[in-house]
């Protein structure tokens, strides 16, 4: 009986391990659009988006006082970022107090692929001309 349980566990774990193995999954291809590299496998970009949002949360007193706009919680490709072409991304997004529908804060955060984070601006919402 113990042998059957061990064998069943071994089969289950093997199946699970094969299902999540990166070596056996299909990697997302990279493509080029107008000479700009489009990252289809955007793990680094998603991490950068999360680091940018977390930096804004800290700068604005934590989650009890601040919520970033929805685009900073969704897919990284739909977040408001610019690929600076030097291994960094700059995110420009708005935030508000929890429960409010009026954005009151604009935050600009630059994140490098190695995880360095710099808050470039965190303050009153500027007009579209950056003034």
């Amino acid at each position: 009986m113990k042998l059957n349980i061990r064998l069943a566990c071994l089969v289950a774990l093997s199946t699970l391990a094969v299902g999540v193995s990166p070596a056996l999954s299909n990697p997302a291809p990279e493509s080029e659009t107008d000479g700009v590299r489009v990252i289809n496998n955007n793990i680094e970009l998603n991490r950068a988006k999360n680091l940018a949002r977390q930096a804004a949360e800290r700068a604005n007193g934590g989650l009890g006082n601040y919520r970033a706009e929805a685009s900073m919680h969704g897919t990284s490709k739909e977040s408001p970022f610019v690929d600076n072409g030097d291994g960094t991304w700059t995110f420009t997004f708005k935030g508000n107090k929890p429960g409010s529908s009026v954005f009151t804060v604009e935050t600009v955060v630059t994140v490098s692929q190695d995880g360095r984070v710099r808050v470039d601006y965190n303050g009153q919402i500027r007009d579209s001309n950056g003034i």
Side-chain angles (χ1 to χ4, degrees), residues 69 72 80-82 90-94 106-109 126:
E69 65 180 273
M72 292 302 288
F81 75 94
V82 173
T90 299
F91 297 84
T92 301
F93 54 98
K94 295 177 178 81
E106 179 180 344
T107 305
V108 180
V109 180
R126 303 173 290 185

Side-chain angles (χ1 to χ4, degrees), residues 85-129:
D86 61 358
T88 66
W89 297 280
T90 299
F91 297 84
T92 301
F93 54 98
K94 295 177 178 81
N96 55 13
K97 290 195 176 294
S100 174
S101 61
V102 178
F103 292 113
T104 56
V105 178
E106 179 180 344
T107 305
V108 180
V109 180
T110 300
V111 181
S112 65
Q113 287 181 355
D114 65 6
R116 287 176 289 149
V117 177
R118 182 183 72 226
V119 177
D120 301 314
Y121 177 79
N122 186 61
Q124 189 174 358
I125 295 176
R126 303 173 290 185
D127 68 18
S128 61
N129 295 326

